[in-house]
Amino acid sequence: MKRWLGWGGLLLALAALAVWFCLARLTPARGVPSPGIEITDAAATGSQASPAPGAQNPADVLRRRLSELPQHSPKLRAAMKSAEAEMEKKSPTARWWLRPIDEIHAEIRAAAERGEPKAAYALGIRYGQCSRALEDYAPQKLLAELDQEMELADSTPAPRRGMENVGNRISSELATYDACASLDRALLDESMLWLERAGRAEAKGARLAYVSAWTKQASRGRNELIADIERMAAQRTLAREWLEQGLAAGDSDALDQYIEAYSGQGGLLPRDRVQEMAYRYARDLVRSRRVSGFDALWASGPTRYGDELTSQQWDAAEAQGRGIFKTYYEARPIRPQ
């Protein structure tokens, strides 16, 4: 859905706006999909929660205040809708990612239950996105964020300049929250299940998405991990296996996952600063091939900072980083398809 070409500059610009607008509805800006995130009591109640007697519903207050802010013009909204429709023409399954989850859920779920790997992947990702949205986009949180934005705008020489973008972003986030709150919470807990099915069916990107989802899931409270330790251990074994496969396949996203794991996040791998720096250097080498500066980076090695590693440890990280690059990425296309 990212490669529809041949349009003029205006249509390309509109497409970019459409992508921004739609992704804002789909992906919480505070992190990557995290299917196992624990939902706070306030968020878990959904948009139907009843306020205390005499209190105003935060969602209603937020909608009223957003209605007072400038909005995108009808012409721009129509243009974004048109660009979205063009993307769906290019790839019929783009609708699974572009449309609000409450509009498209039944279609994705039915396709996933029929055994379509791409649908299982989309379902797993979007369930994970909703788990995060119910936490991050709760109306009371968005209302507090709007207060901060308004206070900041009032303190600038040109008050309220740029509030159109703020208002539209928060409106989009509230719409995402409402769409996700309409789903049964038990369905969202199936995110890992569907990602595993997609990964076993070799849907593109699903295996590393499973690794990322496990890492975020493992960041939950210690008591929850202990209560379900056998399932978590089995999932960790599978996540490690798929991460190794991603590296062997020369997938550059695997480098990000190794860096995160060795930095001590999530418990997928033991924290190891030397390994972390080795994979960071390998990632820098892969990226520099796509832009510039590869030869200089290869000659100079990684930037050595801090005092946590000794000179010998930095030497080891440099040698290993070069080895990772040569083994898994040197023969790969500079920009894999």
Side-chain angles (χ1 to χ4, degrees), residues 68-80:
E68 298 170 354
L69 296 177
Q71 302 288 320
H72 288 321
S73 69
K75 183 177 181 180
L76 179 56
R77 290 184 181 275
M80 291 191 293

Side-chain angles (χ1 to χ4, degrees), residues 114-187:
R114 289 195 303 268
E116 295 186 24
K118 290 182 178 180
Y121 177 42
L123 195 63
I125 291 293
R126 298 210 63 181
Y127 279 168
Q129 290 171 340
C130 272
S131 291
R132 174 67 74 172
L134 288 177
E135 179 180 272
D136 287 352
Y137 296 165
Q140 56 268 38
K141 288 189 176 182
L142 295 181
L143 192 56
E145 184 178 346
L146 180 59
D147 286 337
Q148 292 177 348
E149 293 285 359
M150 297 286 284
E151 183 178 350
L152 179 62
D154 287 339
S155 68
T156 62
R160 306 296 170 85
R161 179 176 295 174
M163 287 305 295
E164 177 179 334
N165 288 336
V166 170
N168 280 286
R169 175 178 59 79
I170 294 180
S171 294
S172 177
E173 291 170 348
L174 179 60
T176 298
Y177 175 89
D178 288 339
C180 291
S182 72
L183 301 184
D184 189 326
R185 181 64 180 86
L187 293 177

